[in-house]
Amino acid sequence: MFFCEVPPPEGGETPIGPSWRVAQRMMEEFPEAVKEMEKKGLKYTFRAPPRPTASFTGRGWPEFLGSSDPAEAVKKNRILLFWRAKANADIDVEWLPNGTANLNFAQRPLTMVFEGRKGRKMWFNLIHLMYKKEITSVKMMDGTEIPEKIVRRIEEIIEEEIIQFRWEKGDVLFVDNLAVYHGRRPSLPPRRVLVATCKVASV
C-alpha cells in the first residue's frame, strides 16, 4: 500500500508491471535459458561492508547479522529479512581481509507460482538489480554465469511492461506484491510516499 503525502516537483514515479508478463515473454524468447535457471536456481551475493554506506541497501554486515562481532554475528543467526533468509543454512558468510563480508544466499527461485493467481508463473527474482553491480552479484547456483544479453533483455522487457503515473497529494495505490513488481524513478526533493505491507486472506 502506497500513500503520497508529499508529491515530488519532478520525477519520483512508482513504475509497476505484471510479473507474469515478464516470465511469459522470457520463456518465449529464451526457453532454454529460462529452463536452465529454473532447474539450477539462483545464488545472490551481497558484499556487505563493516559500516553502513550510501549504496544499495546502505546496510553493513553488523546490521544484516545482528552483531558487530563476526563470530557472534554468525552464531546468533539474526539475519535481517531483507532477502527473506530463514536460517543459518540459508546463508554462507565469507570474510574478506578488508573487513567486508560476502553474504552468499542459498538457492533462490527464478519464477514462482502463487495460489489464487491463475496458476501463472511470476518473474520473482532480483537478476536485473544485482547483476555484476558494485556490491552485488547473481549467478546460477552452480556458479554458471548468466549471459549479459539475457540480463539486458530482462531490463528491456520490464521497462516495456510498466505503467506509471505522476504522484499527486493524497494518492493511494494498492499492489499485489506477489504478482506485480514495482520500482522508483529518481526525483527532485521533497518526496514523501509512505509504504506499508500486509497479508490478505484471499485474492
Side-chain angles (χ1 to χ4, degrees), residues 22-23 26-27 29-44 107-111 121 123-128 131 138-142 144-154:
V22 182
M26 285 298 296
M27 287 187 290
E29 294 188 31
F30 303 99
E32 294 304 316
V34 169
K35 183 179 179 180
E36 182 182 12
M37 287 188 284
E38 286 190 313
K39 180 179 179 180
K40 294 180 177 179
L42 304 175
K43 178 181 179 180
Y44 300 141
Q107 184 172 346
R108 294 293 185 262
L110 178 78
T111 61
K121 285 187 176 182
W123 194 253
F124 208 74
N125 60 74
L126 302 172
I127 290 178
H128 70 293
Y131 183 76
V138 56
K139 299 179 180 180
M140 294 183 218
M141 197 61 199
D142 66 352
T144 303
E145 293 280 356
I146 301 171
E148 186 169 353
K149 69 175 183 179
I150 299 249
V151 181
R152 299 288 85 89
R153 187 58 184 140
I154 293 170

Side-chain angles (χ1 to χ4, degrees), residues 49-50 103 140 160 165 176:
L103 307 181
M140 294 183 218
E160 291 165 5
F165 55 92
D176 177 0

Side-chain angles (χ1 to χ4, degrees), residues 4-11 167-170 188-193:
C4 181
E5 186 176 64
V6 180
E10 181 179 324
W167 282 112
E168 295 185 4
K169 183 177 176 62
L188 295 177
R191 178 188 186 275
R192 185 172 172 80
V193 177

Side-chain angles (χ1 to χ4, degrees), residues 12 14 44 55 72 92-93 95 112 135 137 143 156 161 163 187 190:
T14 298
Y44 300 141
S55 60
E72 183 65 18
D92 172 56
V93 182
W95 302 102
M112 295 280 285
I135 62 171
S137 66
E156 291 173 353
E161 291 292 336
I163 60 171
S187 68

Side-chain angles (χ1 to χ4, degrees), residues 6-186:
V6 180
E10 181 179 324
E13 298 89 353
T14 298
I16 60 175
S19 298
W20 69 271
R21 279 287 296 160
V22 182
Q24 181 184 60
R25 292 180 62 179
M26 285 298 296
M27 287 187 290
E28 291 171 354
E29 294 188 31
F30 303 99
E32 294 304 316
V34 169
K35 183 179 179 180
E36 182 182 12
M37 287 188 284
E38 286 190 313
K39 180 179 179 180
K40 294 180 177 179
L42 304 175
K43 178 181 179 180
Y44 300 141
T45 297
F46 172 52
R47 289 176 287 282
R51 291 170 295 278
T53 67
S55 60
F56 198 53
T57 67
R59 300 180 177 92
W61 61 258
E63 292 176 272
F64 274 89
L65 301 177
S67 173
S68 59
D69 177 73
E72 183 65 18
V74 175
K75 180 180 178 182
K76 290 170 66 176
N77 188 31
R78 288 172 51 194
I79 301 171
L80 185 67
L81 297 181
F82 185 82
W83 302 118
R84 298 188 179 182
K86 298 177 182 177
N88 209 31
D90 278 338
I91 184 172
D92 172 56
V93 182
E94 176 189 0
W95 302 102
L96 305 182
N98 64 359
T100 296
N102 272 353
L103 307 181
N104 300 307
F105 290 83
Q107 184 172 346
R108 294 293 185 262
L110 178 78
T111 61
M112 295 280 285
V113 177
F114 299 103
E115 184 179 356
R117 293 165 181 84
K118 301 182 179 181
R120 290 169 168 166
K121 285 187 176 182
M122 303 297 175
W123 194 253
F124 208 74
N125 60 74
L126 302 172
I127 290 178
H128 70 293
L129 296 177
M130 296 188 66
Y131 183 76
K132 293 185 178 180
K133 299 294 176 65
E134 180 182 357
I135 62 171
T136 63
S137 66
V138 56
K139 299 179 180 180
M140 294 183 218
M141 197 61 199
D142 66 352
T144 303
E145 293 280 356
I146 301 171
E148 186 169 353
K149 69 175 183 179
I150 299 249
V151 181
R152 299 288 85 89
R153 187 58 184 140
I154 293 170
E155 294 173 332
E156 291 173 353
I157 291 174
I158 287 175
E159 193 67 23
E160 291 165 5
E161 291 292 336
I162 65 169
I163 60 171
Q164 61 184 7
F165 55 92
R166 185 176 178 84
W167 282 112
E168 295 185 4
K169 183 177 176 62
D171 280 348
V172 176
L173 174 66
F174 291 86
V175 172
D176 177 0
N177 204 38
L178 299 182
V180 177
Y181 57 85
H182 68 274
R184 173 181 171 177
R185 300 298 194 198

